[in-house]
Amino acid sequence: MNNRYRTILDSIFRTPTSASLVFTDIEALVLYLGGQVQEREGSRVKLILGDQLWRCHRPHPGKEAKRYQVEEAREFLLRAGVQP
């Protein structure tokens, strides 16, 4: 794993939960790990990694993921077998 994706992964698993992680970085990490990002209606998006799904909304008007979204991303990655 290159340094960019290692930094994103570390940010997701850092405690206390980060509120400055850009949501598109989470999407990029999922794609890097071999997953998919499917566009849905409006700001909805579905992330797929292995047999795990995470349905969520992209943050707007800002681009930073909310704390609860980072925590959901952490749970999603753990269910898919990704460890920091």
Side-chain angles (χ1 to χ4, degrees), residues 14-79:
R14 183 178 306 132
T15 53
T17 304
S18 173
S20 62
L21 184 62
V22 178
F23 191 82
T24 55
D25 286 347
I26 298 172
E27 293 177 353
L29 177 64
V30 170
L31 292 173
Y32 176 79
L33 295 172
Q36 299 175 27
V37 176
Q38 295 180 351
E39 302 290 328
R40 303 189 69 202
E41 295 176 6
S43 65
R44 294 181 187 106
V45 65
K46 179 167 61 172
L47 287 81
I48 304 167
L49 186 58
D51 61 347
Q52 297 300 314
L53 299 175
W54 178 36
R55 292 178 183 93
C56 57
H57 290 256
R58 284 193 179 106
H60 52 82
K63 58 184 179 180
E64 290 80 18
K66 308 290 186 215
R67 282 193 168 99
Y68 77 89
Q69 291 175 314
V70 175
E71 292 167 357
E72 288 178 0
R74 181 184 311 145
E75 293 170 15
F76 167 67
L77 291 171
L78 285 172
R79 286 193 318 266

